[in-house]
Amino acid sequence: MIKYYCSEQNRITEIESPGEDCWISLVNPTEAEVAAMVNQYGIDADAMRSALDTDERSRIETDENYTMVLVNIPNIETHNDKELYDTIPLSIFVVKKAVITVSLEKTPILEAFANGTVRDFNPAMRSRFVLQILYRTSSLFLQYLRSIDRQSEIVENKLHKSTQNRELIELLKLEKSLVYFTTALRSNEVVLEKLFKNDNIKKYQEDEELLEDVIVENKQAIEMANIYSGILSGMMDAFASVISNNLNVVMKVLAIITAVLSVPTMIFSAYGMNVAAKGMPFAESPYGFLIIVLIAVVCSLIVALIFAKTKMFK
């Protein structure tokens, strides 16, 4: 899918064909759309397809016709009604008369620009547009990191009484997402350092403060990802022991119940043997059965009290 945007009277509007100082947005483009951009702007075909590879690394490429800035942005996938966090590449091509973005999926980063919710956005100011994309990328990383932290707290509360591995698997998925985020943020940081050393991108003096904000946001996201990753790693080790301990407690309670019930079992086994009634206590009494049951119950209660006194039930 391909869309064209331009700024008219300080408002972003969608247009039908590319014009001067426009923004061209490609989301999961077809081969025909890629070929059109390649022919019109002289962009290398492999470079245009780079954002369609989910394993592509962040980098900057320069050519006489364009400058490509490729970064990894956060993404949410839904699987079995569960939100899974991942990263996907986003390519930004700065050409003479336009800015072209290529992504594999729709992202809230670019949708905010298309909806006109980003202040001071003008596709004609190409370097500022690139920085605004990078700034919103870092902000979205921070937003998703806070969401991961909230989800880990929910799973943590479940783990206190859990004897299953389901919660640990959820933590493992969150930790996996943090690894993706940390890797993407670090590679994006390298891109930031190289971005404004590139002479092919026109620079504005007002962009210096925005660049500082982008770097600060990105570093903050890296620190948060590292902190949350360390917390999750330690939490998984701790709660693996908690689950094992909870299972041991359950097994201990079952063993105690078995020991308490074994007392009447032994008594009933002795009286159930095929032996002569002579010599068996209470064999001649009409209340013999009830007496034996009462004795078995009393013996079980005594054993249970002994276990309770020694705090075996705790």
Side-chain angles (χ1 to χ4, degrees):
M1 181 178 64
I2 182 170
K3 292 184 178 181
Y4 309 97
Y5 301 91
C6 70
S7 178
E8 296 180 355
Q9 298 179 350
N10 296 325
R11 294 183 60 185
I12 297 299
T13 58
E14 185 175 350
I15 55 179
E16 294 183 357
S17 60
E20 189 171 353
D21 295 331
C22 71
W23 165 36
I24 305 174
S25 174
L26 288 86
V27 178
N28 195 16
T30 62
E31 286 296 325
E33 292 170 342
V34 170
M37 294 296 103
V38 169
N39 295 330
Q40 185 171 357
Y41 295 99
I43 301 174
D44 182 72
D46 291 334
M48 281 293 297
R49 297 188 187 94
S50 58
L52 306 181
D53 182 3
T54 56
D55 297 324
E56 198 71 28
R57 61 180 180 84
S58 301
R59 65 184 186 276
I60 294 180
E61 288 185 7
T62 57
D63 187 83
E64 60 181 2
N65 296 324
Y66 65 90
T67 297
M68 183 189 75
V69 180
L70 192 149
V71 293
N72 283 282
I73 61 175
N75 184 50
I76 295 181
E77 297 180 357
T78 303
H79 181 70
N80 294 332
D81 297 330
K82 294 286 185 180
E83 290 185 347
L84 303 178
Y85 297 90
D86 199 354
T87 59
I88 58 173
L90 170 66
S91 294
I92 309 169
F93 293 90
V94 181
V95 296
K96 292 181 180 179
K97 296 183 179 180
V99 175
I100 305 171
T101 59
V102 185
S103 61
L104 189 59
E105 301 177 15
K106 287 185 177 181
T107 169
I109 297 172
L110 298 181
E111 288 181 353
F113 291 97
N115 296 333
T117 57
V118 179
R119 295 177 56 187
D120 302 326
F121 167 52
N122 188 344
M125 305 182 72
R126 298 178 183 87
S127 63
R128 180 173 297 178
F129 184 19
V130 174
L131 282 177
Q132 287 174 324
I133 292 176
L134 295 177
Y135 182 81
R136 294 193 68 85
T137 297
S138 299
S139 299
L140 190 61
F141 269 118
L142 289 171
Q143 177 183 335
Y144 287 172
L145 284 169
R146 295 187 185 98
S147 178
I148 289 175
D149 184 47
R150 289 193 295 269
Q151 290 187 31
S152 65
E153 289 180 357
I154 295 173
V155 177
E156 180 183 355
N157 293 330
K158 295 179 181 178
L159 274 169
H160 286 289
K161 298 181 180 180
S162 176
T163 58
Q164 301 178 358
N165 294 327
R166 182 173 58 250
E167 287 76 15
L168 278 180
I169 293 174
E170 290 185 22
L171 285 181
L172 180 62
K173 291 179 180 178
L174 293 178
E175 187 176 21
K176 185 178 179 181
S177 300
L178 288 175
V179 172
Y180 288 142
F181 279 14
T182 304
T183 304
L185 286 166
R186 286 176 177 169
S187 60
N188 290 353
E189 186 179 29
V190 176
V191 170
L192 287 175
E193 294 174 355
K194 296 180 179 179
L195 179 61
F196 269 71
K197 295 179 182 179
N198 194 309
D199 296 330
N200 292 344
I201 299 179
K202 184 179 179 181
K203 303 174 178 64
Y204 299 91
Q205 186 176 1
E206 297 84 358
D207 294 340
E208 293 182 2
E209 184 177 350
L210 180 57
L211 175 60
E212 292 178 0
D213 292 340
V214 173
I215 294 174
V216 169
E217 287 284 305
N218 195 76
K219 287 185 177 180
Q220 183 180 355
I222 291 174
E223 291 177 0
M224 286 182 63
N226 289 332
I227 291 172
Y228 292 158
S229 182
I231 291 174
L232 275 182
S233 180
M235 189 185 300
M236 287 185 63
D237 293 339
F239 280 107
S241 300
V242 169
I243 289 177
S244 178
N245 185 66
N246 290 343
L247 184 59
N248 290 337
V249 171
V250 172
M251 296 303 295
K252 182 181 72 173
V253 172
L254 291 176
I256 292 172
I257 293 174
T258 302
V260 171
L261 294 179
S262 65
V263 176
T265 301
M266 289 187 295
I267 296 174
F268 294 145
S269 298
Y271 271 84
M273 296 176 67
N274 295 323
V275 295
K278 186 178 180 181
M280 293 293 292
F282 314 112
E284 303 296 335
S285 174
Y287 303 104
F289 176 76
L290 294 177
I291 294 173
I292 298 303
V293 171
L294 182 61
I295 291 174
V297 171
V298 171
C299 291
S300 295
L301 290 176
I302 292 173
V303 174
L305 288 174
I306 293 173
F307 282 129
K309 286 290 185 179
T310 56
K311 300 182 179 179
M312 292 294 292
F313 286 105
K314 295 184 179 180

